[in-house]
Amino acid sequence: MVVFVCRRVITIRKGTMGAFLAHLRILSGMPSVAPGREAVIEQLRQGIPTMRENGLFELFTFRSPELAEAIGVELSRDPSG
């Protein structure tokens, strides 16, 4: 079974980096007490191993420490500093 996420006019296949990023965008716009917030956080947490496997966190870092903390991603440290 293939599930898709539609956000605006963009269709993203579930399980891809695109879906992970779409969920991050959704979470970043949600108030901390919004209904459904925990479900979005859980979806993101389930995708973290795949994102690590694909090297996403080696190439990019979060602008929002609060967002990274919400989903349980440790912010990378600058190896030169």
Side-chain angles (χ1 to χ4, degrees), residues 59-76:
L59 300 171
F60 302 99
T61 187
F62 284 83
R63 284 190 216 171
S64 167
E66 295 82 13
L67 191 58
E69 183 180 339
I71 65 169
V73 172
E74 187 175 320
L75 296 175
S76 61

Side-chain angles (χ1 to χ4, degrees), residues 26-52:
I26 291 166
L27 182 62
S28 71
M30 292 179 103
S32 60
V33 295
R37 181 179 167 88
E38 288 303 316
V40 173
I41 289 172
E42 183 55 32
Q43 285 290 317
L44 285 162
R45 287 181 178 160
Q46 289 178 13
I48 289 170
T50 302
M51 297 307 106
R52 281 199 175 107

